[in-house]
Amino acid sequence: MAKLTQDELLAQFEEMTLIELSEFVKAFEEKFDVTAAAAAPVVVAGGAAGGAAAEAEPEKDEFDVVLTGAGDKKIQVIKVVRELTSLGLKEAKDLVDGAPKPVLEKVNKEQADKAKEALEGAGASVEVK
């Protein structure tokens, strides 16, 4: 197998959904017996240093669609989650069972509104953050 450059790897990760990337991180941690949690304090510390710049918060253009509850029509909600995310049946069911969980992350306002409407139409309760 040809060795991928760092830029090629980043391009591959860029195409993944957050759920796919999360699953990859778990598999990576298991394979190499490491944990990615060590990087979190660095990110938090870096974010705290830029606190003054964050005060002038720009208009939000990325939204997260969070499933807060499946309601009575769980099967319909699972179907909608699969349509929105292209997850497999098991992954979509696990996401719905584990609510509250993000269904879509960092999407534009229009896409977030459409996803919220579709999920609520299936009987789910949804938040857009």
Side-chain angles (χ1 to χ4, degrees):
M1 185 165 124
K3 186 175 180 181
L4 298 175
T5 67
Q6 188 175 17
D7 289 335
E8 291 170 329
L9 282 170
L10 288 173
Q12 289 297 313
F13 292 137
E14 198 171 58
E15 294 176 10
M16 297 174 107
T17 66
L18 289 174
I19 293 173
E20 291 169 334
L21 191 56
S22 173
E23 290 170 354
F24 169 79
V25 170
K26 287 177 190 172
F28 186 90
E29 290 173 340
E30 289 175 12
K31 171 85 174 172
F32 297 104
D33 194 29
V34 295
T35 179
V42 175
V43 173
V44 171
E55 287 178 23
E57 189 174 317
E59 185 176 329
K60 191 171 182 179
D61 61 347
E62 291 183 337
F63 299 87
D64 296 341
V65 179
V66 179
L67 178 71
T68 57
D72 295 336
K73 300 177 184 176
K74 187 169 148 183
I75 294 173
Q76 296 298 341
V77 174
I78 292 170
K79 287 180 181 179
V80 172
V81 167
R82 288 189 68 201
E83 291 170 11
L84 293 172
T85 62
S86 67
L87 287 174
L89 180 60
K90 182 185 181 321
E91 292 83 7
K93 182 184 180 303
D94 290 346
L95 188 146
V96 171
D97 287 341
K101 289 245 176 150
V103 176
L104 297 173
E105 295 179 313
K106 297 186 179 180
V107 296
N108 62 33
K109 178 74 172 158
E110 181 181 324
Q111 195 175 2
D113 288 341
K114 285 182 181 179
K116 180 179 179 184
E117 185 178 313
L119 286 164
E120 286 178 341
S125 52
V126 181
E127 273 184 25
V128 175
K129 296 182 178 181

